[in-house]
Amino acid sequence: MSLEEKNLNSLTPVPVNRPARKRIGEILQEAGLINDEDLENALTESKKTGQFIGLVLVKSGKITIEQLGQALAVQYGLKYVSISKVALNPELMALLPDEFIRDKQVIPLAKERGRLVVAMVNPSNREVVDEITFITGMRPLVTVCTSIEFIEFCNKNLTESATTFLKQEISTFSGQLLEQAQELDFRQKNDAEVSDPTNPLVKLVNSIIEEGIERNASDIHIEPRPKKYLVRFRVDGILRTILDVPQNMESSFVTRIKVMAKMDIAEHRRPQDGRITIKYKGTDYNLRVNTLPVSDNREKIVIRILRPSKNISDFQALGFDDEDIRKLEYLYKSPYGIILVCGPTGSGKTTTLYTVLQRINDDIRNICTVEDPVELQIEGLNQSQVNPKADYTFASSMRALLRQDPDVIMVGEIRDYETLEAAVHAALTGHLVFSTIHSNTTAATITRMIEMGAASNLIGSALVGVLAQRLVRNICSYCKVPYEASEEEKVLLFPHAEAKRLDKLILYKGKGCELCMNSGYSGRSAVYEILLVDREIRQLINDSHSDLEIEDAAIAAGMKNLGMSGRAKVLNGTTTVEEVTRVLGVNLGGQ
């Protein structure tokens, strides 16, 4: 019987510093819950993201939270408590400050013979045990809980959530402004005052950025509205409103961001670009800031959060299956040629290219990139940024890079004939060239290159393959539930296979929980198609066939188009029909 089903009086203290503890993966393997491949994949993802092995396995659906908790109990030699099943006592919660509970990841549960029963995410931390004794005057009896349940507990029970804190900061600063009967004008302050961390406005702006990092936002939008500024985060490709900034804070709020980004605070009539570098929880983040003049002499601000290169994941984590990973390996192991990634803005093209470059990044190759701008600094790559004012464009940079004895070239985007011509020339002279291009499908990319002016026979000779991709949101693994598909969903999934629509079909969706902000989704993965230029495709290109004919030939050779890839992710429980049709439309194609 688990601890949550027993009386807490039955607890007995267990030492928290046992030597030679087994690793969590080993415990789960011995219990038959995961295999060697599961553990290897989890270890790889853990190294990339910094998340614990157990959390990675839960998120991937390999184990449940309950199974992780029981494994932790074995690892530490303690009892496991499922926090959601224990009635919390407000009097006991008051014994420890909320900030201490959050920082030390500890929850007071009960009293037992003058001792305090606590659940800890890291019960081996003796210093925290000593601090609890000092604060409460009671020596704790320690149990273990999972970090996942701890996060849920904090979101539900602790009053000062991140958003609550932001609203409190707004209230505090706004109150100060009203007392002064004027806006705080940073233009009249010196650098020390502008950067004073105790200033409420500085704390507010810092907190918004930190909250964006915590929520894994790609962009922070700060938009003028009547009598306020609206702060929105783009999370998993969707904008979500976080809070409102009152109008009486507007001037100071915008000015503070401009100061951080080293912009001209007196300029309001034209767009500006700037950068901010911050350290949060020991990690450096680069922020790209852009301002845009809008009506009524106000400005809209977008802050792009560029995460460190250590967060670059592998192909499996991006959403590629084993068969298509082998196709990708065939592409990037080519000695020369052009490999293109296509899709609309925000479809993950650059992330895919960075992942490829990271895979081939070694000491025996000279890998050069030209980007607009350089989004991630990766050790081992020679990365440069275009500068049109200095006549350093994609096209001119390609010519310069060819004099740098490169083995691999990555050009951020092929925008015009001049850049395309330089890329084709580089590929035909023995270089491996990667780039992105704006087109909808792999076959349409080929016709797009011809429309830009490249000779079809040169494209056929230089092109190795094309990858088209989109990003769909994954179903939240914490609130994922099965349901029976409707007739409408079956028609969308199997438009040309009526027989398949007669069978019962079980799909999945997210109910919505605290961890996914009640959206039912958490994280994203790629929906993609990979076109390999074989002999038949090359002949079709040379003969200037249409993109539809090229696509039909590629599908006949084994290519999954975007619709097929999206349907596969719905059927395996990665995402939903609604999400795939939002990204791709209603045509999922195939049989």
PDB file of all heavy atoms in Angstrom, residues 402-421:
ATOM      1  N   LEU A 402      33.787  31.128 -50.479  1.00  0.00           N
ATOM      2  CA  LEU A 402      34.473  30.180 -51.361  1.00  0.00           C
ATOM      3  C   LEU A 402      35.980  30.400 -51.374  1.00  0.00           C
ATOM      4  O   LEU A 402      36.737  29.501 -51.744  1.00  0.00           O
ATOM      5  CB  LEU A 402      33.913  30.288 -52.785  1.00  0.00           C
ATOM      6  CG  LEU A 402      32.499  29.743 -52.975  1.00  0.00           C
ATOM      7  CD1 LEU A 402      31.986  30.027 -54.384  1.00  0.00           C
ATOM      8  CD2 LEU A 402      32.450  28.253 -52.682  1.00  0.00           C
ATOM      9  N   ARG A 403      36.423  31.574 -50.959  1.00  0.00           N
ATOM     10  CA  ARG A 403      37.863  31.834 -50.851  1.00  0.00           C
ATOM     11  C   ARG A 403      38.411  31.461 -49.474  1.00  0.00           C
ATOM     12  O   ARG A 403      39.588  31.668 -49.190  1.00  0.00           O
ATOM     13  CB  ARG A 403      38.138  33.311 -51.157  1.00  0.00           C
ATOM     14  CG  ARG A 403      37.833  33.688 -52.600  1.00  0.00           C
ATOM     15  CD  ARG A 403      38.344  35.082 -52.938  1.00  0.00           C
ATOM     16  NE  ARG A 403      37.546  36.127 -52.322  1.00  0.00           N
ATOM     17  CZ  ARG A 403      36.466  36.682 -52.863  1.00  0.00           C
ATOM     18  NH1 ARG A 403      36.039  36.256 -54.043  1.00  0.00           N
ATOM     19  NH2 ARG A 403      35.807  37.642 -52.258  1.00  0.00           N
ATOM     20  N   GLN A 404      37.518  30.915 -48.598  1.00  0.00           N
ATOM     21  CA  GLN A 404      37.925  30.515 -47.259  1.00  0.00           C
ATOM     22  C   GLN A 404      38.160  29.001 -47.147  1.00  0.00           C
ATOM     23  O   GLN A 404      38.213  28.455 -46.056  1.00  0.00           O
ATOM     24  CB  GLN A 404      36.850  30.933 -46.258  1.00  0.00           C
ATOM     25  CG  GLN A 404      36.797  32.420 -45.975  1.00  0.00           C
ATOM     26  CD  GLN A 404      37.969  32.894 -45.150  1.00  0.00           C
ATOM     27  OE1 GLN A 404      38.313  32.283 -44.147  1.00  0.00           O
ATOM     28  NE2 GLN A 404      38.594  33.979 -45.592  1.00  0.00           N
ATOM     29  N   ASP A 405      38.279  28.325 -48.284  1.00  0.00           N
ATOM     30  CA  ASP A 405      38.527  26.881 -48.323  1.00  0.00           C
ATOM     31  C   ASP A 405      37.503  26.113 -47.483  1.00  0.00           C
ATOM     32  O   ASP A 405      37.869  25.329 -46.602  1.00  0.00           O
ATOM     33  CB  ASP A 405      39.951  26.576 -47.832  1.00  0.00           C
ATOM     34  CG  ASP A 405      40.307  25.097 -47.981  1.00  0.00           C
ATOM     35  OD1 ASP A 405      39.784  24.449 -48.913  1.00  0.00           O
ATOM     36  OD2 ASP A 405      41.073  24.584 -47.140  1.00  0.00           O
ATOM     37  N   PRO A 406      36.204  26.312 -47.748  1.00  0.00           N
ATOM     38  CA  PRO A 406      35.197  25.624 -46.927  1.00  0.00           C
ATOM     39  C   PRO A 406      34.946  24.200 -47.409  1.00  0.00           C
ATOM     40  O   PRO A 406      35.125  23.874 -48.586  1.00  0.00           O
ATOM     41  CB  PRO A 406      33.943  26.483 -47.137  1.00  0.00           C
ATOM     42  CG  PRO A 406      34.096  26.968 -48.553  1.00  0.00           C
ATOM     43  CD  PRO A 406      35.584  27.174 -48.769  1.00  0.00           C
ATOM     44  N   ASP A 407      34.526  23.342 -46.499  1.00  0.00           N
ATOM     45  CA  ASP A 407      34.000  22.031 -46.857  1.00  0.00           C
ATOM     46  C   ASP A 407      32.475  22.076 -46.891  1.00  0.00           C
ATOM     47  O   ASP A 407      31.850  21.454 -47.744  1.00  0.00           O
ATOM     48  CB  ASP A 407      34.457  20.976 -45.838  1.00  0.00           C
ATOM     49  CG  ASP A 407      35.959  20.806 -45.819  1.00  0.00           C
ATOM     50  OD1 ASP A 407      36.501  20.325 -46.824  1.00  0.00           O
ATOM     51  OD2 ASP A 407      36.594  21.160 -44.795  1.00  0.00           O
ATOM     52  N   VAL A 408      31.906  22.804 -45.921  1.00  0.00           N
ATOM     53  CA  VAL A 408      30.456  22.914 -45.801  1.00  0.00           C
ATOM     54  C   VAL A 408      30.089  24.392 -45.675  1.00  0.00           C
ATOM     55  O   VAL A 408      30.731  25.132 -44.920  1.00  0.00           O
ATOM     56  CB  VAL A 408      29.927  22.139 -44.578  1.00  0.00           C
ATOM     57  CG1 VAL A 408      28.413  22.289 -44.470  1.00  0.00           C
ATOM     58  CG2 VAL A 408      30.316  20.669 -44.656  1.00  0.00           C
ATOM     59  N   ILE A 409      29.063  24.795 -46.417  1.00  0.00           N
ATOM     60  CA  ILE A 409      28.577  26.178 -46.361  1.00  0.00           C
ATOM     61  C   ILE A 409      27.099  26.151 -45.993  1.00  0.00           C
ATOM     62  O   ILE A 409      26.324  25.372 -46.558  1.00  0.00           O
ATOM     63  CB  ILE A 409      28.756  26.900 -47.706  1.00  0.00           C
ATOM     64  CG1 ILE A 409      30.232  26.993 -48.088  1.00  0.00           C
ATOM     65  CG2 ILE A 409      28.135  28.294 -47.658  1.00  0.00           C
ATOM     66  CD1 ILE A 409      30.464  27.519 -49.499  1.00  0.00           C
ATOM     67  N   MET A 410      26.711  26.996 -45.045  1.00  0.00           N
ATOM     68  CA  MET A 410      25.283  27.174 -44.754  1.00  0.00           C
ATOM     69  C   MET A 410      24.940  28.635 -44.977  1.00  0.00           C
ATOM     70  O   MET A 410      25.484  29.521 -44.312  1.00  0.00           O
ATOM     71  CB  MET A 410      24.954  26.782 -43.313  1.00  0.00           C
ATOM     72  CG  MET A 410      23.446  26.639 -43.057  1.00  0.00           C
ATOM     73  SD  MET A 410      22.604  28.157 -42.636  1.00  0.00           S
ATOM     74  CE  MET A 410      22.832  28.180 -40.860  1.00  0.00           C
ATOM     75  N   VAL A 411      24.074  28.893 -45.938  1.00  0.00           N
ATOM     76  CA  VAL A 411      23.623  30.255 -46.209  1.00  0.00           C
ATOM     77  C   VAL A 411      22.190  30.372 -45.695  1.00  0.00           C
ATOM     78  O   VAL A 411      21.351  29.520 -45.995  1.00  0.00           O
ATOM     79  CB  VAL A 411      23.742  30.604 -47.713  1.00  0.00           C
ATOM     80  CG1 VAL A 411      22.992  29.611 -48.573  1.00  0.00           C
ATOM     81  CG2 VAL A 411      23.260  32.018 -47.978  1.00  0.00           C
ATOM     82  N   GLY A 412      21.936  31.389 -44.891  1.00  0.00           N
ATOM     83  CA  GLY A 412      20.670  31.489 -44.176  1.00  0.00           C
ATOM     84  C   GLY A 412      19.431  31.376 -45.034  1.00  0.00           C
ATOM     85  O   GLY A 412      18.472  30.707 -44.659  1.00  0.00           O
ATOM     86  N   GLU A 413      19.445  31.996 -46.208  1.00  0.00           N
ATOM     87  CA  GLU A 413      18.252  31.955 -47.052  1.00  0.00           C
ATOM     88  C   GLU A 413      18.617  32.291 -48.489  1.00  0.00           C
ATOM     89  O   GLU A 413      19.437  33.189 -48.739  1.00  0.00           O
ATOM     90  CB  GLU A 413      17.201  32.943 -46.552  1.00  0.00           C
ATOM     91  CG  GLU A 413      15.905  32.906 -47.319  1.00  0.00           C
ATOM     92  CD  GLU A 413      14.903  33.936 -46.829  1.00  0.00           C
ATOM     93  OE1 GLU A 413      15.096  34.489 -45.734  1.00  0.00           O
ATOM     94  OE2 GLU A 413      13.919  34.191 -47.549  1.00  0.00           O
ATOM     95  N   ILE A 414      18.049  31.569 -49.433  1.00  0.00           N
ATOM     96  CA  ILE A 414      18.191  31.907 -50.849  1.00  0.00           C
ATOM     97  C   ILE A 414      17.015  32.794 -51.224  1.00  0.00           C
ATOM     98  O   ILE A 414      15.872  32.332 -51.299  1.00  0.00           O
ATOM     99  CB  ILE A 414      18.225  30.635 -51.726  1.00  0.00           C
ATOM    100  CG1 ILE A 414      19.500  29.848 -51.438  1.00  0.00           C
ATOM    101  CG2 ILE A 414      18.133  30.990 -53.201  1.00  0.00           C
ATOM    102  CD1 ILE A 414      19.618  28.547 -52.209  1.00  0.00           C
ATOM    103  N   ARG A 415      17.290  34.085 -51.429  1.00  0.00           N
ATOM    104  CA  ARG A 415      16.233  35.069 -51.662  1.00  0.00           C
ATOM    105  C   ARG A 415      16.157  35.529 -53.119  1.00  0.00           C
ATOM    106  O   ARG A 415      15.132  36.049 -53.550  1.00  0.00           O
ATOM    107  CB  ARG A 415      16.451  36.295 -50.776  1.00  0.00           C
ATOM    108  CG  ARG A 415      16.385  36.001 -49.286  1.00  0.00           C
ATOM    109  CD  ARG A 415      16.727  37.239 -48.481  1.00  0.00           C
ATOM    110  NE  ARG A 415      16.618  37.002 -47.049  1.00  0.00           N
ATOM    111  CZ  ARG A 415      17.015  37.857 -46.112  1.00  0.00           C
ATOM    112  NH1 ARG A 415      17.539  39.023 -46.468  1.00  0.00           N
ATOM    113  NH2 ARG A 415      16.888  37.565 -44.837  1.00  0.00           N
ATOM    114  N   ASP A 416      17.258  35.395 -53.855  1.00  0.00           N
ATOM    115  CA  ASP A 416      17.294  35.948 -55.205  1.00  0.00           C
ATOM    116  C   ASP A 416      18.149  35.071 -56.105  1.00  0.00           C
ATOM    117  O   ASP A 416      18.813  34.130 -55.657  1.00  0.00           O
ATOM    118  CB  ASP A 416      17.822  37.387 -55.189  1.00  0.00           C
ATOM    119  CG  ASP A 416      19.131  37.510 -54.412  1.00  0.00           C
ATOM    120  OD1 ASP A 416      19.996  36.636 -54.574  1.00  0.00           O
ATOM    121  OD2 ASP A 416      19.273  38.471 -53.633  1.00  0.00           O
ATOM    122  N   TYR A 417      18.135  35.404 -57.383  1.00  0.00           N
ATOM    123  CA  TYR A 417      18.881  34.609 -58.369  1.00  0.00           C
ATOM    124  C   TYR A 417      20.375  34.646 -58.096  1.00  0.00           C
ATOM    125  O   TYR A 417      21.073  33.626 -58.253  1.00  0.00           O
ATOM    126  CB  TYR A 417      18.599  35.128 -59.782  1.00  0.00           C
ATOM    127  CG  TYR A 417      19.517  34.513 -60.815  1.00  0.00           C
ATOM    128  CD1 TYR A 417      19.366  33.170 -61.186  1.00  0.00           C
ATOM    129  CD2 TYR A 417      20.545  35.260 -61.385  1.00  0.00           C
ATOM    130  CE1 TYR A 417      20.226  32.593 -62.112  1.00  0.00           C
ATOM    131  CE2 TYR A 417      21.412  34.686 -62.316  1.00  0.00           C
ATOM    132  CZ  TYR A 417      21.243  33.346 -62.672  1.00  0.00           C
ATOM    133  OH  TYR A 417      22.105  32.779 -63.576  1.00  0.00           O
ATOM    134  N   GLU A 418      20.901  35.792 -57.690  1.00  0.00           N
ATOM    135  CA  GLU A 418      22.334  35.924 -57.479  1.00  0.00           C
ATOM    136  C   GLU A 418      22.823  34.958 -56.399  1.00  0.00           C
ATOM    137  O   GLU A 418      23.853  34.298 -56.547  1.00  0.00           O
ATOM    138  CB  GLU A 418      22.662  37.374 -57.086  1.00  0.00           C
ATOM    139  CG  GLU A 418      24.145  37.698 -57.130  1.00  0.00           C
ATOM    140  CD  GLU A 418      24.430  39.148 -56.799  1.00  0.00           C
ATOM    141  OE1 GLU A 418      23.485  39.885 -56.443  1.00  0.00           O
ATOM    142  OE2 GLU A 418      25.608  39.540 -56.886  1.00  0.00           O
ATOM    143  N   THR A 419      22.055  34.859 -55.296  1.00  0.00           N
ATOM    144  CA  THR A 419      22.423  33.928 -54.217  1.00  0.00           C
ATOM    145  C   THR A 419      22.278  32.483 -54.690  1.00  0.00           C
ATOM    146  O   THR A 419      23.120  31.630 -54.396  1.00  0.00           O
ATOM    147  CB  THR A 419      21.540  34.166 -52.985  1.00  0.00           C
ATOM    148  OG1 THR A 419      21.587  35.537 -52.614  1.00  0.00           O
ATOM    149  CG2 THR A 419      22.016  33.312 -51.814  1.00  0.00           C
ATOM    150  N   LEU A 420      21.203  32.206 -55.414  1.00  0.00           N
ATOM    151  CA  LEU A 420      20.975  30.856 -55.926  1.00  0.00           C
ATOM    152  C   LEU A 420      22.097  30.450 -56.878  1.00  0.00           C
ATOM    153  O   LEU A 420      22.614  29.320 -56.803  1.00  0.00           O
ATOM    154  CB  LEU A 420      19.627  30.799 -56.646  1.00  0.00           C
ATOM    155  CG  LEU A 420      19.275  29.482 -57.341  1.00  0.00           C
ATOM    156  CD1 LEU A 420      19.267  28.323 -56.357  1.00  0.00           C
ATOM    157  CD2 LEU A 420      17.925  29.603 -58.039  1.00  0.00           C
ATOM    158  N   GLU A 421      22.508  31.338 -57.744  1.00  0.00           N
ATOM    159  CA  GLU A 421      23.581  31.042 -58.702  1.00  0.00           C
ATOM    160  C   GLU A 421      24.878  30.721 -57.963  1.00  0.00           C
ATOM    161  O   GLU A 421      25.595  29.764 -58.305  1.00  0.00           O
ATOM    162  CB  GLU A 421      23.781  32.229 -59.642  1.00  0.00           C
ATOM    163  CG  GLU A 421      24.849  31.998 -60.701  1.00  0.00           C
ATOM    164  CD  GLU A 421      25.123  33.253 -61.523  1.00  0.00           C
ATOM    165  OE1 GLU A 421      25.121  34.360 -60.935  1.00  0.00           O
ATOM    166  OE2 GLU A 421      25.330  33.113 -62.733  1.00  0.00           O
TER     167      GLU A 421
END
